[in-house]
């Protein structure tokens, strides 16, 4: 049956939903040519009596089931990261529980997991307090048996006086890690509070400081995760890394070309868009494992339009579209988010996300997705 989807101009357009799913993508094992993480969302408890500023109420069964879905397709899970609404509905207490539960589930499932380490116990503080906050979180992650991802810190951005403070804090942390970590540079388009990270709003100067941190501790850095939505800058940075330090792209606009790489190298991946794209992304990487770059691009290039739509400005609200698609795909029973973030995007945005995902064949049950989208439209006042 035809759906009438609202556009940004306020008019309705007719859309004929897909009637058949694309060929099922069977679960399979690990990849051989790239290391790939999906930054996974959390599923809210829809029956919890909470408000947007309450501690998060998480549906742990549904949250962990989604991680098992990702692991079953060979993807690693990047846990308690930006996609899990760190600092946007999920506080440190909730993140710590998420890390412990997911790390235990990863052991049981044989899945790879890396977990975010930040300072979200603090809003601001001295450099010593920032270091202590990082240390507390690092201990939780390492005790869980997961790999650590040192995330950018709002408190450090607010406290640091210049590049030397970043060198001091990160050097202090890297000297005490038990296993090599991933350093995460999250751009201000994802979090405005991180403007001027690494001690400068000049990205060339900031890049130099970032590389100085790595050069001083190459054995303690497994890789870097770059989320600046600037493919040229990522490639330039990738080529300047010490031997053995990986680049994990976090660029949700240019990921096919960055993962495919060039004659001088390639990026691995740690991506929020691989939450809704999980099985398709996994299939594309397996094609790449065979050396078929064209086949890889043929599968993944058509997904970029959807990704650019979900990550459009204000980019930090991309999580809303990710959770919408998880609901439409049947991975959760409701469209509710911690912190009430389901209200962060408009109905026209939802409609276009559905249309693009349905066209790609992302929904295992297109009829379920259609029915749920129809209910959402009706809730907003769209009548047949």
């Amino acid at each position: 049956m035809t759906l009438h989807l609202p556009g940004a101009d306020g008019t309705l357009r007719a859309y004929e939903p897909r009637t058949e799913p694309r060929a099922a993508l069977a679960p399979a094992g690990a990849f051989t040519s790239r290391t790939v993480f999906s930054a996974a969302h959390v599923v809210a408890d829809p029956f919890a009596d909470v408000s947007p500023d309450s501690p998060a109420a998480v549906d742990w069964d549904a949250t962990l089931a989604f991680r098992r879905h990702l692991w079953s397709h060979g993807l690693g899970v990047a846990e308690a990261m930006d996609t899990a609404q760190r600092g946007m509905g999920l506080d440190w207490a909730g993140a710590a529980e998420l890390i412990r539960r997911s790390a235990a589930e990863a052991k049981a499932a044989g899945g790879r997991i890396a977990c975010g380490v930040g300072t979200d116990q603090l809003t601001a503080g001295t450099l010593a307090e920032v270091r202590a906050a990082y240390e507390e979180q690092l201990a939780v992650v390492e005790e869980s048996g997961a790999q650590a991802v040192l995330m950018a810190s709002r408190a450090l951005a607010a406290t640091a006086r210049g590049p030397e403070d970043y060198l001091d804090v990160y050097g202090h942390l890297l000297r005490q890690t038990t296993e090599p970590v991933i350093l995460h540079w999250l751009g201000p388009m994802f979090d405005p509070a991180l403007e001027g990270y690494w001690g400068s709003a000049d990205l060339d100067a900031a890049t130099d400081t970032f590389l100085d941190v790595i050069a001083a501790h190459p054995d303690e850095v497994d890789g870097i995760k770059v989320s600046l939505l600037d493919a040229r800058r990522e490639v330039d940075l990738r080529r300047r890394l010490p031997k053995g330090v990986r680049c994990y792209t976090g660029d949700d606009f240019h990921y096919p070309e960055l993962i495919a790489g060039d004659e001088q190298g390639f990026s691995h991946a740690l991506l929020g868009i691989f939450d809704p794209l999980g099985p398709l992304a996994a299939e594309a990487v397996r094609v790449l494992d065979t050396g078929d770059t064209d086949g890889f691009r043929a599968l993944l290039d058509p997904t970029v339009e959807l990704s650019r739509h979900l990550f459009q400005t204000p980019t930090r609200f991309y999580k809303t579209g990710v959770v919408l698609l998880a609901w439409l795909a049947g991975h959760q029973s409701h469209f509710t988010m911690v912190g009430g973030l389901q209200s962060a995007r408009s109905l026209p945005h939802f409609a276009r996300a559905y249309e693009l995902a349905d066209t790609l064949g992302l929904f295992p049950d297109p009829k379920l997705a259609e029915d749920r989208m129809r209910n959402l439209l009706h809730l907003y006042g769209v009548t047949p």
Side-chain angles (χ1 to χ4, degrees):
M1 294 176 63
T2 300
L3 282 177
H4 293 92
L5 302 179
D9 60 359
T11 62
L12 297 177
R13 67 184 183 279
Y15 175 70
E16 298 295 332
R18 190 184 188 104
T19 58
E20 297 293 334
R22 65 183 297 156
L25 299 172
F31 312 121
T32 58
S33 65
R34 304 289 188 273
T35 300
V36 181
F37 291 96
S38 166
H41 74 282
V42 293
V43 182
D45 178 354
F47 302 127
D49 185 13
V50 294
S51 64
D53 56 357
S54 301
V58 176
D59 180 338
W60 293 111
D61 289 342
T63 293
L64 295 175
F66 187 75
R67 280 138 182 80
R68 291 193 297 273
H69 155 72
L70 295 172
W71 285 320
S72 76
H73 287 277
L75 296 159
V77 168
E79 188 57 277
M81 304 282 290
D82 187 53
T83 308
Q85 296 181 239
R86 286 291 291 270
M88 292 185 69
L90 187 70
D91 62 12
W92 165 235
E97 185 171 3
L98 178 64
I99 288 165
R100 293 187 180 103
R101 287 176 179 258
S102 290
E105 198 71 20
K107 290 177 185 176
R112 182 165 183 171
I113 188 168
C115 298
V117 171
T119 65
D120 39 335
Q121 313 96 309
L122 303 174
T123 54
T126 65
L127 287 180
E129 289 170 332
V130 170
R131 286 194 298 268
Y134 264 130
E135 288 173 335
E136 177 189 354
Q137 296 200 16
L138 181 62
V140 169
V141 170
E142 291 189 334
E143 287 166 6
S144 77
Q147 183 177 17
V149 182
L150 294 186
M151 301 193 300
S153 161
R154 292 175 180 174
L156 181 55
T159 303
R161 295 159 296 180
E164 65 283 352
D165 287 338
Y166 289 90
L167 292 167
D168 173 70
V169 169
Y170 278 89
H172 177 83
L173 294 168
L174 290 170
R175 284 190 293 272
Q176 60 185 282
T177 57
T178 58
E179 299 291 341
V181 306
I182 299 172
L183 298 181
H184 186 190
W185 185 358
L186 190 69
M189 68 289 293
F190 289 93
D191 187 344
L194 300 177
E195 182 71 44
Y197 211 74
W198 304 112
S200 179
D202 181 325
L203 288 178
D204 290 334
T207 297
D208 288 342
T209 301
F210 188 40
L211 287 167
D212 286 345
V213 170
I214 299 163
H217 306 276
D219 294 337
E220 285 74 47
V221 179
D222 164 63
I224 62 169
K225 195 264 189 178
V226 186
S227 300
L228 298 176
L229 303 183
D230 183 335
R232 179 198 59 79
R233 184 169 295 280
E234 178 173 323
V235 171
D236 289 346
L237 177 55
R238 185 173 77 197
R239 291 173 179 171
R240 296 173 65 187
L241 291 173
K243 185 178 180 180
V245 176
R246 310 181 197 199
C247 180
Y248 294 90
T249 188
D251 188 330
D252 300 277
F253 285 1
H254 307 100
Y255 51 94
E257 65 195 76
L258 290 165
I259 297 170
D262 56 30
E263 66 283 353
Q264 297 186 53
F266 56 82
S267 294
H268 300 271
L270 195 164
L271 288 160
I273 192 56
F274 280 7
D275 178 305
L277 293 183
L280 180 58
E283 180 67 15
V285 176
R286 287 198 173 84
V287 170
L288 187 60
D289 285 346
T290 70
D292 184 0
T293 301
D294 290 341
F296 165 80
R297 295 293 298 266
L299 283 170
L300 218 51
D301 282 359
T303 68
V304 172
E305 185 178 5
L306 171 63
S307 189
R308 285 178 174 266
H309 177 73
L310 297 183
F311 285 78
Q312 69 184 214
T313 304
T315 303
R316 63 189 180 278
F317 295 129
Y318 75 87
K319 298 92 163 172
T320 301
V322 165
V323 174
L324 170 79
L325 296 183
W327 171 58
L328 294 176
H331 293 297
Q332 55 193 77
S333 62
H334 58 86
F335 180 36
T336 306
M337 299 176 68
V338 299
L341 204 66
Q342 68 271 11
S343 65
R345 293 292 201 190
S346 68
L347 185 61
H349 182 89
F350 297 151
R352 183 61 176 156
Y354 162 76
E355 182 179 7
L356 290 169
D358 186 60
T359 300
L360 288 167
L362 292 186
F363 301 129
D365 184 344
K367 186 62 170 64
L368 174 67
E370 177 191 340
D371 289 345
R372 288 184 169 184
M373 191 66 210
R374 195 179 299 279
N375 287 338
L376 184 65
L377 291 167
H378 182 70
L379 179 66
Y380 274 76
V382 178
T383 55

